[in-house]
């Protein structure tokens, strides 16, 4: 598996994946509904980060934050802080770049929302094993076909990367140049992709024959080998989370939170 | 849902409704964001546009994928995971080679051409889900763009754009324009124009020339997406023309719509000597 999942023994890991997914969706809905920039920041500081620490994935979350999110936030503050089209209160100006209060507030709003979205999703992915997620979603009524496609993709990735690497080495051994200008490097792509796709399409026939021989898709709701726990408390919790998110959205639309 | 009946026709109607509803939601989301946005930005805030962009696009993409996946036969389903991995592998390879392109939809286009718009839509949507699980969740809001690319690739194949070598880049260019338009509100309202260092610089330049945020991300998309998709479609057509026609002919969609133009004329033009018996229609 090449997913971001980290194996730990924690309460967050043990939660039903559907509960975590509902919590994530509720957080995202609230964060994008409320216009105040400090609400998403508060959710990150008081909900997402404590959840990561509780699940003992805080270190990895920090590293992913530095790799994935920080560059985006820096670009965001440069682009919108200095070049926000509707900025009127100019703090500092140099050529076409104008540092405006409106631009800074805008980047703060987008930046804190983006942080909540990305960090919340990361905590979900870090603490939820894909197989367990698929099982619980199928139990909740998702199509087994979707579960198959996602699980199969995750299992193929390592084998596929291995195949791609060996094709790259084989073509380099035959004199393929991957250094040089962009055009030359682009031309190098084709001898790599063509054998990959050829192999892939020949594989498909065998795979689908094997699946049909095992009656894939014949039963609308097959019995599951492993059952993910779904206690009553979590089911109630999910409804409460969904109701909270819906209430916040209604309050924003009506104009109570503005 | 627990209410699903074993009757095939009922499910078929339900799936059609899912796909139709998903399409309507996506179109309505885009139109709302384009038409209502100027008024809201003038008031000095983002309003509800970010929530509508995120929710509308995700729900629309989810509905289309859920409705489309039930139509697919097992042979197509087993093709999709490999196409998803191809998307991710070539996308990463492109980044490693340092090319100024994405090339992260080759598998999606390939499936769309070989197995039709529904298969292309599912491949696109699930690629972004896998991307979120393996590399990071940044790509997830753009799932709708991948769905649009897969659907358009399927229709391009159906309309004969892959029968001639030079038509494929044209179809790719048009697909890229639509993809740029659809993804611009996501880049603007969810990412604030900052989807990467290079794209961010271009957005900043357009804003400095006096364009609004949405106009800037649209223009930035129109600079890169049509070229990227034209190259993607070209790569796909080269790969598919290099495949033996025996392999291409395995896909019912290819035979039904005469996608490559060379395989099917065998049957109507030479009725006396059919190469192989016609497959029964699904």
């Amino acid at each position: 598996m090449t997913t971001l999942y980290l194996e730990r023994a924690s309460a967050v890991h043990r939660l039903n994946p559907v509960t975590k997914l509902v919590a994530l969706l509720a957080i995202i809905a609230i964060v994008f509904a409320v216009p105040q920039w400090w609400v998403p920041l508060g959710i990150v500081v008081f909900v997402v980060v404590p959840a990561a620490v509780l699940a003992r994935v805080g270190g990895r979350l920090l590293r992913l934050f530095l790799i994935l999110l920080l560059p985006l936030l820096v670009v965001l503050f440069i682009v919108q802080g200095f070049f926000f089209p509707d900025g009127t209160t100019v703090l500092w100006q140099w050529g076409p770049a104008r540092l405006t209060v409106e631009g800074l507030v805008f980047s703060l709003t987008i930046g804190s929302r983006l942080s909540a979205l990305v960090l919340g999703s990361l905590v979900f992915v870090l603490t939820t094993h894909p197989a367990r997620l698929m099982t619980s979603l199928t139990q909740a009524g998702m199509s087994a076909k979707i579960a198959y496609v996602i699980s199969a993709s995750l299992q193929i990735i390592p084998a596929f990367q291995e195949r791609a690497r060996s094709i790259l080495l084989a073509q380099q051994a035959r004199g393929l140049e991957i250094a040089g200008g962009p055009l030359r490097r682009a031309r190098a792509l084709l001898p790599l992709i063509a054998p990959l796709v050829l192999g892939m399409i020949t594989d498909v026939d065998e795979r689908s024959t094997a699946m049909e021989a095992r009656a894939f898709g014949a039963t609308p709701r097959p019995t599951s080998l492993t059952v993910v726990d779904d206690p009553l408390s979590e089911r109630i919790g999910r409804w409460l989370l969904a109701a909270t998110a819906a209430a916040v959205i209604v309050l924003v639309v009506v104009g109570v939170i503005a | 849902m627990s209410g699903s009946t074993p009757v095939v026709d009922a499910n078929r109607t339900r799936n059609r409704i899912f796909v139709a509803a998903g399409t309507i939601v996506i179109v309505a989301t885009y139109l709302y964001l384009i038409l209502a946005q100027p008024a809201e930005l003038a008031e000095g805030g983002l309003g509800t546009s970010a929530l509508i962009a995120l929710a509308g696009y995700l729900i629309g993409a989810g509905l289309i994928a859920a409705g489309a996946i039930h139509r697919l036969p097992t042979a197509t389903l087993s093709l999709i995971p490999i196409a998803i991995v191809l998307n991710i592998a070539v996308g990463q390879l492109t980044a490693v080679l340092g090319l100024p392109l994405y090339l992260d939809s080759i598998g999606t286009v390939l499936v769309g051409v070989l197995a039709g718009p529904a298969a292309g839509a599912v491949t696109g949507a699930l690629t972004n889900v896998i991307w979120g699980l393996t590399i990071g969740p940044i790509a997830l809001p753009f799932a709708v763009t991948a769905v649009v690319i897969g659907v358009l690739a399927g229709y391009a194949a159906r309309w004969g754009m892959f029968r001639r070598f030079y038509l494929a880049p044209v179809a790719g260019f048009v697909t890229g324009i639509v993809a740029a338009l659809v993804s611009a509100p996501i880049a603007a309202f969810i990412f604030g124009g900052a989807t990467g260092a290079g794209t961010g610089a271009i957005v900043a330049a357009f804003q400095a020339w006096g364009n609004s945020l949405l106009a800037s991300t649209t223009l930035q998309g129109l600079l890169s997406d049509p070229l990227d998709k034209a190259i993607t479609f070209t790569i796909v057509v080269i790969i598919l023309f290099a495949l033996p026609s025996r392999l291409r002919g395995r896909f019912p969609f290819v035979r039904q719509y005469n996608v490559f133009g060379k395989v099917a004329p065998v049957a109507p033009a030479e009725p006396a000597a059919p190469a192989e018996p016609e497959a029964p229609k699904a």
Side-chain angles (χ1 to χ4, degrees):
Chain A
M1 284 287 187
T2 47
T3 57
L4 299 170
Y5 174 71
L6 286 180
E7 183 78 57
R8 298 274 192 280
S10 84
V12 183
H13 283 71
R14 277 192 300 274
L15 279 175
N16 188 304
V18 179
T19 310
K20 280 185 270 187
L21 191 60
V22 171
L24 174 64
L25 292 176
I27 286 178
I28 292 173
I30 292 171
V31 154
F32 277 89
V34 176
Q36 283 83 3
W37 60 265
W38 46 266
V39 173
L41 215 58
I43 288 181
V44 169
V45 172
F46 294 110
V47 181
V48 177
V49 172
V53 172
L54 186 68
R56 297 196 288 141
V57 295
R60 183 64 65 88
L61 186 72
L62 180 68
R63 234 176 65 197
L64 288 168
F65 166 77
L66 294 177
I67 300 169
L68 291 175
L69 197 59
L70 196 62
L72 279 190
L73 293 180
V74 170
V75 173
L76 176 69
F77 272 88
I78 293 172
V79 172
Q80 296 307 343
F82 289 95
F83 298 96
F84 190 59
D86 301 311
T88 46
T89 324
V90 180
L91 295 175
W92 181 78
Q93 188 160 11
W94 186 76
R98 298 181 306 137
L99 186 66
T100 60
V101 175
E102 288 80 4
L104 286 176
V105 171
F106 181 83
S107 9
L108 210 55
T109 311
I110 295 268
S112 60
R113 282 176 174 177
L114 210 54
S115 308
L117 171 72
V118 172
L119 296 177
S121 316
L122 279 174
V123 171
F124 175 74
V125 173
L126 284 170
T127 61
T128 312
H129 193 279
R132 202 157 171 267
L133 173 66
M134 289 306 127
T135 311
S136 63
L137 282 177
T138 316
Q139 271 170 235
M142 190 185 73
S143 163
K145 289 181 169 180
I146 295 180
Y148 162 72
V149 171
I150 292 178
S151 312
S153 307
L154 290 174
Q155 281 162 12
I156 294 173
I157 290 174
F160 201 90
Q161 284 173 335
E162 192 51 47
R163 193 187 248 182
R165 204 169 300 125
S166 60
I167 290 173
L168 179 64
L169 290 176
Q171 299 285 39
Q172 278 179 304
R174 285 163 179 78
L176 180 79
E177 295 251 12
I178 58 163
L183 205 69
R184 167 166 275 186
R185 277 177 293 168
R187 271 174 50 193
L189 265 180
L190 207 65
L192 301 180
I193 300 173
L196 263 178
V197 176
L198 257 169
M200 140 189 154
I201 292 185
T202 35
D203 278 358
V204 164
D205 231 28
E206 293 166 26
R207 201 181 291 271
S208 63
T209 313
M211 282 163 67
E212 277 177 344
R214 284 155 185 78
F216 177 78
T219 341
R221 196 134 316 291
T223 323
S224 186
L225 179 64
T226 52
V227 176
V228 179
D229 280 345
D230 195 13
L232 181 69
S233 55
E234 289 198 25
R235 271 177 279 167
I236 297 172
R238 288 206 287 269
W239 283 109
L240 285 178
L241 283 166
T244 312
V248 169
I249 292 174
V250 168
L251 287 178
V252 169
V253 171
V254 170
V256 179
I257 306 173
Chain B
M1 284 290 122
S2 56
S4 68
T5 49
V7 186
V8 178
D9 274 338
N11 274 343
R12 199 174 194 168
T13 317
R14 189 197 64 182
N15 295 336
R16 288 229 169 105
I17 291 172
F18 272 21
V19 172
T23 313
I24 292 169
V25 168
I26 290 173
V27 172
T29 304
Y30 181 72
L31 289 179
Y32 173 81
L33 292 172
I34 293 298
L35 298 175
Q37 189 49 36
E40 279 192 347
L41 262 190
E43 288 162 22
L46 268 165
T48 49
S49 42
L51 182 65
I52 287 171
L54 194 64
Y57 276 164
L58 279 186
I59 291 170
L63 282 173
I64 290 183
I69 199 166
H70 292 283
R71 295 185 178 184
L72 306 179
T74 313
T76 310
L77 271 183
S78 53
L79 177 67
I80 291 177
I82 308 172
I84 290 176
V85 180
L86 186 70
N87 280 339
I88 295 177
V90 178
Q92 279 183 311
L93 196 64
T94 313
V96 170
L97 290 174
L99 299 174
L101 297 165
Y102 315 118
L103 295 188
D104 53 1
S105 51
I106 290 180
T108 309
V109 174
L110 199 75
V111 170
V113 173
L114 288 177
V122 172
T123 311
L126 293 182
T127 295
N128 284 43
V129 173
I130 304 283
W131 207 283
L133 285 172
T134 52
I135 298 169
I138 305 246
L140 211 50
F142 286 103
V144 66
T145 315
V147 169
V148 166
I149 292 166
V151 168
L152 289 182
Y155 279 110
R158 208 158 140 171
W159 293 331
M161 301 302 276
F162 282 82
R163 280 177 209 159
R164 295 279 176 278
F165 180 80
Y166 52 85
L167 286 178
V170 178
F173 196 82
V174 175
T175 305
I177 292 175
V178 180
L181 293 180
V182 170
S183 54
I186 311 169
F189 304 138
I190 296 170
F191 290 91
T195 47
T199 53
I202 297 171
V203 169
F206 279 123
Q207 287 186 346
W209 287 336
N211 293 292
S212 74
L213 172 61
L214 184 58
S216 303
T217 54
T218 307
L219 289 170
Q220 182 272 317
L222 287 175
L223 270 188
S224 55
D225 276 292
L227 178 68
D228 181 63
K229 298 304 170 284
I231 293 173
T232 301
F233 275 53
T234 310
I235 292 174
V236 169
V237 82
I238 291 174
I239 290 171
L240 290 177
F241 272 46
L243 281 185
S245 53
R246 176 179 52 86
L247 279 180
R248 289 183 302 191
R250 278 186 192 171
F251 294 91
F253 177 80
V254 172
R255 291 198 302 270
Q256 191 184 347
Y257 293 100
N258 189 13
V259 167
F260 298 106
K262 288 174 192 164
V263 193
V266 174
E270 303 164 41
E276 53 181 350
E278 193 71 26
K281 280 195 176 173

